[in-house]
Amino acid sequence: MARVLLFGRLSDVAGWRERTLDAGAGSIAAIRALLAAEDADLGEALVAPGVQVAVDQAIVRGDLVLNAASEVAFLPPMSGG
Amino acid sequence: MARVLLFGRLSDVAGWRERTLDAGAGSIAAIRALLAAEDADLGEALVAPGVQVAVDQAIVRGDLVLNAASEVAFLPPMSGG
Amino acid sequence: MIRLTDQAFDAGALLNDFCMGRIESGAVASFVGIARAEAGRAVALELEAYQGFTEAEIGRIADGARTRFGLDDALIVHRVGRIAPGEAIVFVATASRHRRAAFEGCDFLMDYLKSRAPFWKKEHGPDGARWVEPRPQDHTDVARWD
Amino acid sequence: MIRLTDQAFDAGALLNDFCMGRIESGAVASFVGIARAEAGRAVALELEAYQGFTEAEIGRIADGARTRFGLDDALIVHRVGRIAPGEAIVFVATASRHRRAAFEGCDFLMDYLKSRAPFWKKEHGPDGARWVEPRPQDHTDVARWD
């Protein structure tokens, strides 16, 4: 199980900001695959250049096996100020 | 005739800030000589490194013949802020 | 201190509070980022943060800046939500003994906030909205510190 | 605008006035210089200016900075007379479309004020007074812009 958060343009593409995925969400790659199967545009947007992933509020590079109740956030290029 | 203004450490050395010199104040060099004849310490301070001269509120380099009623200011190294 | 707020803030009051009681920090540099109207092309900005994560990330960078530049203190206040043209988006202040460190620390923090801090910025205009990403200049600016 | 004053001023109010109504200047950089106590060695600063000349010289430099850095605006408020530790000596603010110009313009103006503007600064301490001249670092700082 994983809570998935989308930020910036990703939530515009998906039409949602937050969802809980149940079965089959055991890794970041698995989450990407689940979401891409449902929504090809979102699947593409999740692997666009500059999109980072945070698991439980820490940026991770590459894939990661998730614990139960992980929070997985997809972060497109950032800009504040 | 010239109105002479001293700033910063120069007025401390001289013990005055402003004076009108009458006869013989026809150039910057003449003013320096007049003041040095009266007060050797001041004479030395006026030619110390970094001391600039403004005539009628414009910095001048080298000597300058003065008009009547010129304002001559001796400006030691500056520091604001 | 790091603070996110969805309300307009008073940059002058923040500056005065930040300066108050300082008798050994001779230098306070600060920056206010203001939402531009872009000659009518921008009706509002919308700033999104990742609550908790955004504050923590900025806090880590601010702590690093304190050490790197020898700052006595740093303050970052950042708007989230909808921001009208002319309103302040961000206020950054840094204090140090001499001005060089204060300027560099403030400059560094702004470069970081512009292109690497977890915010997402949408510009609403008369013809719809667009996501704003860092300009090439922003990437050049932040790379100065790497 | 250039202003000399022998009264304490409110830097925050100056910052807010300076920012007010700006809808195209996205960036306001500012600096507050504060009189340091130097752990008790400084009881007061005394700042002397050459009335008329000082404002005119700073005005010339500020006009040059506006052109050089592409500033929308610049404000310099500077104390003269006796200043207690913790009080603001100087406030400089610059406005521009993007932050790089605002930071550089503000930085430049402070470097100029520290070592080339017509002010003379005396530090009064428990054991008497001394004239303060620019530090070697101040000369290095201002030379960056030559």
Side-chain angles (χ1 to χ4, degrees), chain C residues 1-2 18 20 31-33 42 46 64 66 70 73 86 91 94 96 98 111 113 117 124 128 138 145:
Chain C
M1 213 193 65
I2 315 300
F18 188 75
M20 188 166 307
F31 183 86
V32 184
E46 200 182 330
R66 266 195 207 91
D73 203 357
F91 177 77
T94 52
S96 63
H98 293 295
D111 282 347
L113 289 169
H124 293 272
D138 292 321
W145 310 101

Side-chain angles (χ1 to χ4, degrees), chain C residues 6-66:
Chain C
D6 60 2
Q7 301 297 314
F9 60 79
D10 179 339
L14 292 172
L15 178 61
N16 282 347
D17 285 353
F18 188 75
C19 289
M20 188 166 307
R22 295 201 185 280
I23 56 168
E24 297 299 352
S25 297
V28 170
S30 69
F31 183 86
V32 184
I34 298 172
R36 287 194 304 269
E38 305 285 6
R41 291 194 311 284
V43 174
L45 276 184
E46 200 182 330
L47 259 291
E48 189 184 0
Y50 179 1
Q51 215 189 318
F53 179 72
T54 299
E55 295 93 319
E57 287 286 300
I58 299 175
R60 251 191 296 280
I61 297 296
D63 287 345
R66 266 195 207 91

Side-chain angles (χ1 to χ4, degrees), chain C:
Chain C
M1 213 193 65
I2 315 300
R3 187 149 58 89
L4 303 188
T5 172
D6 60 2
Q7 301 297 314
F9 60 79
D10 179 339
L14 292 172
L15 178 61
N16 282 347
D17 285 353
F18 188 75
C19 289
M20 188 166 307
R22 295 201 185 280
I23 56 168
E24 297 299 352
S25 297
V28 170
S30 69
F31 183 86
V32 184
I34 298 172
R36 287 194 304 269
E38 305 285 6
R41 291 194 311 284
V43 174
L45 276 184
E46 200 182 330
L47 259 291
E48 189 184 0
Y50 179 1
Q51 215 189 318
F53 179 72
T54 299
E55 295 93 319
E57 287 286 300
I58 299 175
R60 251 191 296 280
I61 297 296
D63 287 345
R66 266 195 207 91
T67 308
R68 174 171 179 176
F69 299 102
L71 302 178
D72 296 334
D73 203 357
L75 169 67
I76 298 168
V77 177
H78 205 295
R79 283 284 294 278
V80 292
R82 206 171 170 91
I83 302 164
E87 288 184 356
I89 307 168
V90 62
F91 177 77
V92 173
T94 52
S96 63
R97 187 164 171 78
H98 293 295
R99 71 188 180 290
R100 193 86 262 103
F103 270 124
E104 290 185 353
C106 191
D107 197 1
F108 166 84
L109 288 170
M110 277 308 308
D111 282 347
Y112 163 74
L113 289 169
K114 274 283 175 178
S115 54
R116 294 187 185 168
F119 291 104
W120 298 274
K121 186 158 54 181
K122 202 177 201 173
E123 185 183 280
H124 293 272
D127 304 321
R130 68 179 190 97
W131 289 98
V132 181
E133 292 190 357
R135 301 166 302 149
Q137 180 67 47
D138 292 321
H139 292 301
T140 307
D141 286 347
V142 78
R144 294 180 300 152
W145 310 101
D146 290 340

Side-chain angles (χ1 to χ4, degrees), chain A residues 38-77:
Chain A
E38 273 186 30
D39 179 342
D41 289 345
L42 176 59
E44 210 168 290
L46 291 178
V47 295
V51 174
Q52 298 182 82
V53 182
V55 174
D56 295 329
Q57 308 212 341
I59 299 279
V60 299
R61 318 269 169 207
D63 198 14
L64 192 76
V65 173
L66 302 173
N67 299 320
S70 286
E71 176 178 290
V72 179
F74 291 93
L75 314 173

